[in-house]
């Protein structure tokens, strides 16, 4: 699955705005995205371009921020790990519901 599968598509010709989408359909859409992320193994650097960009920015920080480079990288790693743990818990809840 590519990163495009996680990005909501918008039909610019449609008269419907984001506010017009009822909450139930939005919840189903969010569930589908989370399930796809889980099925693909969670957040992985090689699959999501935004995470790759952040990794590159951290790798090539300006000299005056070099002392913060490692803590920033650890912070990003922690965020990714927590997001993957959330996906695990979320998937278990979906399984228990069904």
């Amino acid at each position: 699955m590519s990163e495009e599968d996680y990005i909501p598509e918008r039909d610019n010709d449609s008269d419907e705005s984001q506010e017009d989408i009822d909450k139930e359909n939005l919840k189903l859409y969010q569930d589908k995205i989370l399930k796809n992320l889980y099925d693909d193994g969670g957040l992985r650097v090689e699959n999501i371009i935004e995470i790759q960009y952040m990794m590159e920015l951290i790798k090539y920080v300006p000299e005056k921020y070099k002392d913060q480079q490692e803590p920033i990288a650890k912070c990003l790693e922690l965020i990714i790990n927590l997001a993957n743990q959330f996906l695990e818990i979320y998937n278990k809840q979906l399984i228990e519901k069904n």
Side-chain angles (χ1 to χ4, degrees), residues 34-48:
L34 290 172
K35 182 172 180 346
N36 288 344
L37 272 171
Y38 178 82
D39 290 345
D40 286 346
L43 295 177
R44 294 180 299 182
V45 173
E46 62 272 6
N47 285 352
I48 301 178

Side-chain angles (χ1 to χ4, degrees), residues 20-31:
D20 294 339
I21 298 174
D22 66 321
K23 290 181 182 179
E24 185 62 31
N25 286 338
L26 184 59
K27 176 75 172 130
L28 291 173
Y29 181 70
Q30 290 170 341
D31 288 346

Side-chain angles (χ1 to χ4, degrees), residues 35-80:
K35 182 172 180 346
N36 288 344
L37 272 171
Y38 178 82
D39 290 345
D40 286 346
L43 295 177
R44 294 180 299 182
V45 173
E46 62 272 6
N47 285 352
I48 301 178
I49 194 74
E50 290 83 357
I51 295 176
Q52 292 174 9
Y53 289 155
M54 288 190 292
M55 295 296 287
E56 288 298 308
L57 287 171
I58 292 168
K59 192 186 305 181
Y60 299 108
V61 295
E63 195 60 42
K64 70 179 188 176
Y65 298 111
K66 283 287 186 188
D67 61 332
Q68 296 299 315
Q69 187 175 25
E70 187 176 338
I72 292 170
K74 288 183 186 251
C75 181
L76 179 59
E77 182 181 349
L78 178 64
I79 291 169
I80 293 168

